[in-house]
Amino acid sequence: MGSSPETEHAVKALGYAARDTSGVLSPINFSRRETGDEDVRFKVLYCGVCHSDLHSVKNEWHNAKYPMIPGHEIVGVVTEVGSKVKKVKVGDKVGVGCMVGCCHSCDQCGADQEQYCPKMVQTYNDSSMVTYGGYSDHMVANEHFIVTWPKDYPLDGGAPLLCAGITVYSPIRYYGLDKPGMHVGVVGLGGLGHVAVKFLKALGVKVTVISTSPKKKEEAINTFGADSFLVSRDQAEMQSGVGSLDGIIDTVSADHPLVPLIALLKPNGKLVLVGGPTKPYELPAFPLLFGRKMVGGSLIGGIKETQEMIEFAAKHNITAAIELIPIEYINTAMERLAKADVRYRFVIDIGNTLKAA
C-alpha cells in the first residue's frame, strides 16, 4: 500500500482537492517534501483559477489522478531557501507556473523549449509522479522553476499571467506575430484572450477580437484597446474580414469551427491554437492549400521566457482583469467558469482565506 497524501513527505500542508470526477473540491491535509539544497519554499498568497483546472478535476482530458490539488498560477513570499539557492532570498516575492521540473538538458533542446521536454513535471496531476498545485498554503520547487517577481508588480492581478499570460505571449513571439503594424486576430475574449489583446497592443500590433458574443465589443475596444471586433456567428461581419489578418491566436477551449477563421488570414497567415477543446477539430486541407496558410499550436513557455513575459508585463502595466475570491467559493467559481461567467479570471485569495479547521 502506498503512502497517503498526509504522510508521504515530512512537511505538513493544507489545501483543497478533488477526490473524483465530480470535480468537487474540499479541504485536504497533505504533505510536501523538505527544502532541498536547490529548493525554494514559499507561502502561497494568491492562485489563479485556470480553465485547465476545471478540465482536470473533472477528468475531461482522461488523465486525472486523485486526490488532485489544482493550481498553477501561484504567487507568494519566500519563507525558506536551500543552501545552494542563488536566485532569491527569504522575503522575496515569487511565482510558479505550469511546470516544476524537466530533464534539465536545456543545452540540447534550448531553455525556451523545456515546456516540451519529455520529462517535464507538471505543477499538479503529473503523469510520472505525485504533484500537488497551488490551491494550498505553501509550495516548494527547485529554484530553476521559480519566477522572480518585479518590484511593485501586483501579485493578485499578475498571478494569472503565469499560465494565461505565457500561453499567449509565447506563440505571439515564436510565430512572429509581434511586429509593429501587423494585424492579428484574437479568438475569444476570456481569461487568455483579454491578456493576448493587451500584449499585442503593447507590441504595437493592430488587433481584431473575434467572439461569439456581441456584448463583448465595447469592452474589447474601450477597455482592452482592440482596434476592431467581429462576431463569429455573423456571416456578413466575418465576410468583411476575409483576408485581413497576418495571424490569429485562438484561445477558445470550447468546440468551434476553424475554417471561417482560416478564411480571415492573408496568404501565408498563421492560425495558432492555444485552447484545449475536448473534441477533435475538423480541418479540411483546401482552405490551407489556397494561400499557403498554417495551423499551429503552442503550450505554455519555458522558464526563461516566462520570466521575460512577467518583466514585459510589469514594464507595460499589464495585469489580468480578475475577480478575487475566497477559497471556500471555489466550487461555485468552477460552476461559473464552466458557463463562461467570469470577467476575466478568478484568483483565489489563499493567504487570507485558506485556514486550518
Side-chain angles (χ1 to χ4, degrees):
M1 182 178 293
S3 300
S4 70
E6 294 93 336
T7 61
E8 184 176 4
H9 297 293
V11 183
K12 294 181 179 180
L14 175 65
Y16 262 59
R19 271 78 170 186
D20 53 44
T21 58
S22 71
V24 174
L25 294 125
S26 58
I28 185 172
N29 293 304
F30 68 109
S31 60
R32 295 200 184 275
R33 69 175 185 267
E34 293 185 14
T35 307
D37 290 343
E38 298 179 350
D39 285 341
V40 174
R41 187 179 304 275
F42 64 95
K43 174 181 172 60
V44 177
L45 297 180
Y46 301 99
C47 184
V49 179
C50 180
H51 207 284
S52 60
D53 296 345
L54 177 60
H55 285 306
S56 295
V57 296
K58 290 182 174 291
N59 196 28
E60 291 177 347
W61 288 335
H62 310 293
N63 64 347
K65 296 167 67 176
Y66 299 107
M68 184 192 303
I69 301 175
H72 53 210
E73 301 173 345
I74 316 160
V75 293
V77 60
V78 177
T79 57
E80 187 178 10
V81 296
S83 60
K84 296 181 180 180
V85 170
K86 300 177 181 179
K87 199 171 185 177
V88 297
K89 63 183 183 301
V90 172
D92 285 351
K93 296 173 182 177
V94 297
V96 164
C98 300
M99 59 187 298
V100 288
C102 69
C103 71
H104 273 253
S105 296
C106 296
D107 56 332
Q108 297 178 24
C109 69
D112 62 332
Q113 295 298 303
E114 62 196 342
Q115 71 269 34
Y116 308 119
C117 173
K119 297 184 180 179
M120 181 185 80
V121 178
Q122 299 179 60
T123 301
Y124 74 88
N125 196 47
D126 188 75
S127 60
S128 62
M129 64 182 69
V130 176
T131 53
Y132 297 121
Y135 295 12
S136 57
D137 59 356
H138 73 276
M139 291 286 297
V140 59
N142 181 285
E143 72 164 326
H144 177 76
F145 300 96
I146 294 291
V147 176
T148 60
W149 212 249
K151 184 179 179 182
D152 299 326
Y153 185 58
L155 285 170
D156 52 359
L161 271 63
L162 291 169
C163 176
I166 190 60
T167 295
V168 294
Y169 181 89
S170 184
I172 288 170
R173 292 295 202 185
Y174 179 82
Y175 287 98
L177 303 179
D178 55 353
K179 309 299 187 292
M182 295 185 86
H183 190 178
V184 175
V186 174
V187 184
L189 193 69
L192 275 67
H194 85 287
V195 176
V197 173
K198 290 185 176 186
F199 278 134
L200 288 164
K201 293 305 298 180
L203 289 162
V205 175
K206 183 179 178 181
V207 179
T208 292
V209 170
I210 304 152
S211 172
T212 59
S213 174
K215 295 179 181 179
K216 292 190 175 182
K217 180 176 181 178
E218 182 177 355
E219 196 159 20
I221 294 174
N222 295 331
T223 300
F224 301 128
D227 298 280
S228 54
F229 189 94
L230 295 175
V231 179
S232 58
R233 291 172 176 164
D234 187 320
Q235 292 186 3
E237 283 198 17
M238 292 293 282
Q239 184 63 32
S240 72
V242 166
S244 65
L245 303 178
D246 296 289
I248 297 173
I249 302 294
D250 185 346
T251 70
V252 175
S253 289
D255 205 20
H256 64 288
L258 297 185
V259 173
L261 301 177
I262 294 169
L264 298 176
L265 295 172
K266 297 176 182 178
N268 304 307
K270 303 167 185 175
L271 170 60
V272 185
L273 311 175
V274 299
T278 57
K279 296 180 180 179
Y281 287 112
E282 181 179 338
L283 185 60
F286 281 100
L288 301 177
L289 301 181
F290 289 96
R292 192 185 280 170
K293 298 173 183 178
M294 176 190 297
V295 176
S298 185
L299 187 61
I300 43 171
I303 302 304
K304 180 180 178 181
E305 191 174 41
T306 301
Q307 187 69 60
E308 173 192 310
M309 177 274 305
I310 282 290
E311 291 171 3
F312 180 90
K315 179 180 178 180
H316 294 276
N317 299 313
I318 296 171
T319 57
I322 67 168
E323 182 175 335
L324 194 63
I325 62 170
I327 187 66
E328 58 267 22
Y329 188 78
I330 186 58
N331 290 307
T332 301
M334 288 291 192
E335 292 174 1
R336 288 179 55 194
L337 184 58
K339 301 173 184 176
D341 178 25
V342 53
R343 294 204 173 181
Y344 278 86
R345 204 75 169 183
F346 287 120
V347 173
I348 309 170
D349 186 355
I350 299 285
N352 289 316
T353 65
L354 178 59
K355 309 293 183 184

